[in-house]
Amino acid sequence: MVDLKAKPFYLKDEDIQWVEETIEHMTLEEKIGQLFIMLDRKKDPEETKRILKEYHIGGCRYQSEDREKIYEQNKFYQENSKIPVLIACNCDSGGNGACSDGTYVATAAACGASDDYSVSYDVGYVSGKEAKAVGCNWDFGPVCDLLFNWRNTIINTRAYGKETEKVIEHCKAYIKGVKESDLAVCCKHFPGDGTEELDQHLVMGINDLSCEDWDKTYGTVYKTLIDEGIESIMVGHIALPSYSKKLRPEMKDEDILPATLSEELLQDLLREKLGFNGLLLTDASHMAGLTCAKPRRLQVPGAIAAGCDMFLFFNDIEEDFEYMMQGYREGIITEERLHDALRRILGLKASLKLHEKRKYGKLIQEKQELRVIGCEKHLELAKKAADASITLVKDTKKILPIDSKTHKRVCTFVISSSPILRKNVEDPVKKVIKEELENAGYDVHMHDSYYDLMLKDGINLETELKSVIIGKVEEFKKKYDAVFVFINMKGYAQTNNVRLSWSIGHSVEIPWYMQEVPTVFISLNYTNHLIDIPMAKTFINAYAPTREVIKQTIDKIAGRSEFKGQFDDNVFCGRWDTRL
């Protein structure tokens, strides 16, 4: 059972009294409601108000909008909740995880490349300040996974790296930054992503390390951060077969479940062996890693029975709520387990002083505090992060620098994901790239991909021919001094890993030109694209498609600023030709 006086709660007697008295006066429906974290997709005030009143939810997550809308939304949540709610955000890279106009600072991959723990602190600092300004009190970060498998695109830019001590120090720095704003943090995704290439949105993840290797890596990360006082841990839909079988020797392969449903991983390993006293919550419950493990009626109460304290997101509110109630009535969730979960939930709220802030009308800051979002200080930290992280992976033919004074005429390709991921509009990054290249003095021709032409002119033979016929090579060489290829691929919950994909078969984009004129490849997202373009001789990882990152990348290509980022062997994808 939880000790509310101990780490990470440190509650005083009067705080514990509030927790116990609140639980004592709750109806069963109110107790069950506290176990849920709602994702507000519809943003219908009347519907949201009904949910808050009828289902008594313990926490909220939301779809991103601008600062003004998120502030008013979060204020509405608190005003219409009998018990103050935990309001969470995903600030992996800065305040842009709290609202759509928040400040991006750096991905974890960029922080790792910077080899400067102060950058991770800055990400946490900006995340905390901007999240607090819009009314959040809980940050679903940091990601403390280890990127062992270069094929894994789920945490490719969200992990600090694969070295245990390095990941620990970056996590600690990030947490220190968030704590400047008194938000609770949440480490994710226990028992650890990054050993395989699959996405828990689509399958049950598997961490296939031995117990000994897990202890030295993920176990050391979690144990260190638990000792540091993290308040919560997000449990992934990831199995850890070695430990499940060690802790339950009778277990067969077909009995192995994701950690979200595994009592042996949550209670025996995480609670007892690693000593975690804080709050556990599931990863998103619509992910196939959970939904395919058991029937929904057993998943919902089963996660709480196994040791999770909160259940992230409803499928159907009425149905999931009833599943949880039914699980309690049938004894899947015992009275002791329910009470323990409630004490941790309310204990976290008390540790954040939400019960006291409600008394004084301070659950949400004054609206004028929104001015911190995108402030000059935060923008300067974003500039610092970009400068420290942008990485020259290789320049084996020594073609850099490519300045507008010596290579003025440039042909620029932007390799983007399918338009359907952008609601069938042209990639907005293309416009930013053109503007920043022109600002740097280049004469720019922006290539229109098959996707671009299709959006403008529809699908027809002319569109296809424009996209697959190269034309005269000698004319191309006379026309352009250099080629820049910006790769802005992105994927989510649709395919298990994301690879570079040209917009059409036999596309003009395929780098036939690299042997004709100096060519620079720049990834604006994933770090593993060399697997698909091993022929690239000059390759840069820039980690994000923001204007600041694009501007600084161009400056570095031109030799106006040095490359400072560091890389590890993951970027070469286990091949010899990617290094050439």
Side-chain angles (χ1 to χ4, degrees), residues 557-571:
I557 290 170
R560 299 166 195 171
S561 172
E562 65 177 312
F563 288 95
K564 298 175 183 176
Q566 307 293 316
F567 60 86
D568 63 34
D569 280 353
N570 274 347
V571 299

Side-chain angles (χ1 to χ4, degrees), residues 364-489:
I364 302 285
Q365 295 188 115
E366 295 297 324
K367 197 168 185 177
Q368 64 187 23
E369 296 303 322
L370 291 176
R371 63 192 173 192
V372 75
I373 296 172
C375 68
E376 189 61 34
K377 178 178 180 179
H378 293 183
L379 295 178
E380 285 300 316
L381 294 177
K383 290 179 183 178
K384 168 192 166 186
D387 181 50
S389 62
I390 297 168
T391 306
L392 178 62
V393 175
K394 66 175 183 176
D395 183 28
T396 56
K397 295 296 185 182
K398 305 298 181 186
I399 67 169
L400 295 181
I402 295 179
D403 190 10
S404 58
K405 294 177 182 177
T406 57
H407 299 73
K408 191 170 183 65
R409 303 166 304 163
V410 297
C411 180
T412 303
F413 295 84
V414 179
I415 314 302
S416 303
S417 302
S418 167
I420 197 169
L421 297 176
R422 303 186 299 275
K423 299 181 180 178
N424 282 338
V425 298
E426 187 177 76
D427 189 346
V429 171
K430 187 176 176 181
K431 180 172 182 277
V432 176
I433 290 169
K434 184 176 190 294
E435 290 173 352
E436 291 304 327
L437 283 170
E438 289 176 341
N439 289 342
Y442 297 96
D443 286 342
V444 185
H445 168 73
M446 299 299 294
H447 170 77
D448 283 332
S449 71
Y450 180 68
Y451 291 151
D452 298 331
L453 295 172
M454 185 177 63
L455 290 172
K456 293 174 185 175
D457 304 322
I459 299 174
N460 53 58
L461 180 59
E462 184 179 359
T463 297
E464 182 176 341
L465 291 177
K466 283 182 181 179
S467 300
V468 299
I469 295 177
I470 291 172
K472 294 185 184 300
V473 172
E474 293 302 322
E475 287 184 6
F476 185 90
K477 289 162 64 177
K478 290 176 183 177
K479 195 172 182 180
Y480 302 114
D481 302 313
V483 170
F484 295 148
V485 183
F486 289 85
I487 306 166
N488 187 35
M489 303 297 298

Side-chain angles (χ1 to χ4, degrees), residues 117-291:
Y117 299 128
S118 72
V119 175
S120 293
Y121 169 85
D122 294 341
V123 175
Y125 175 85
V126 173
S127 296
K129 292 295 181 185
E130 299 194 0
K132 185 176 183 179
V134 297
C136 297
N137 47 44
W138 197 8
D139 177 22
F140 285 173
V143 172
C144 55
D145 295 318
L146 295 156
L147 186 62
F148 289 124
N149 191 327
W150 65 263
R151 294 180 183 274
N152 188 307
T153 46
I154 313 311
I155 61 162
N156 182 281
T157 59
R158 301 171 72 199
Y160 293 110
K162 62 181 180 180
E163 298 172 16
T164 301
E165 290 305 319
K166 180 178 180 179
V167 169
I168 287 171
E169 291 305 315
H170 277 291
C171 286
K172 286 166 64 175
Y174 173 94
I175 291 167
K176 183 178 179 183
V178 172
K179 288 300 178 185
E180 295 281 345
S181 300
D182 299 321
L183 271 73
V185 298
C186 176
C187 291
K188 56 190 183 185
H189 308 84
F190 178 87
D193 199 355
T195 67
E196 64 164 1
E197 63 186 86
L198 302 181
D199 178 357
Q200 296 83 55
H201 291 85
L202 307 175
V203 298
M204 180 179 75
I206 298 175
N207 186 315
D208 56 6
L209 294 185
S210 67
C211 295
E212 294 74 22
D213 287 341
W214 190 88
D215 287 342
K216 293 174 186 175
T217 54
Y218 295 92
T220 299
V221 172
Y222 276 101
K223 178 59 177 171
T224 303
L225 298 178
I226 287 168
D227 290 345
E228 287 284 313
I230 56 171
E231 293 93 345
S232 61
I233 292 174
M234 181 179 287
V235 182
H237 309 308
I238 302 170
L240 183 59
S242 60
Y243 253 114
S244 285
K245 290 186 173 183
K246 178 180 179 179
L247 295 167
R248 300 288 188 273
E250 74 284 359
M251 184 174 286
K252 299 177 182 178
D253 285 350
E254 58 265 33
D255 299 326
I256 292 172
L257 293 169
T260 28
L261 297 170
S262 299
E263 183 179 12
E264 71 277 5
L265 298 182
L266 301 184
Q267 302 290 11
D268 299 2
L269 179 56
L270 190 48
R271 293 286 189 206
E272 294 181 23
K273 181 178 173 66
L274 299 183
F276 184 58
N277 186 49
L279 184 145
L280 296 177
L281 68 149
T282 72
D283 202 344
S285 64
H286 56 259
M287 296 163 70
L290 177 68
T291 59

Side-chain angles (χ1 to χ4, degrees), residues 49-89:
K49 188 174 182 178
R50 182 187 73 82
I51 292 168
L52 293 169
K53 297 293 185 184
E54 189 172 332
Y55 294 102
H56 324 287
I57 58 173
C60 304
R61 266 271 282 115
Y62 54 86
Q63 300 286 84
S64 188
E65 292 180 289
D66 66 68
R67 70 189 80 181
E68 296 272 345
K69 290 180 180 177
I70 297 301
Y71 176 87
E72 293 298 337
Q73 161 203 276
N74 291 346
K75 186 167 178 280
F76 184 85
Y77 290 161
Q78 297 292 16
E79 289 173 345
N80 289 279
S81 298
K82 181 177 178 181
I83 297 169
V85 289
L86 295 165
I87 303 178
C89 53

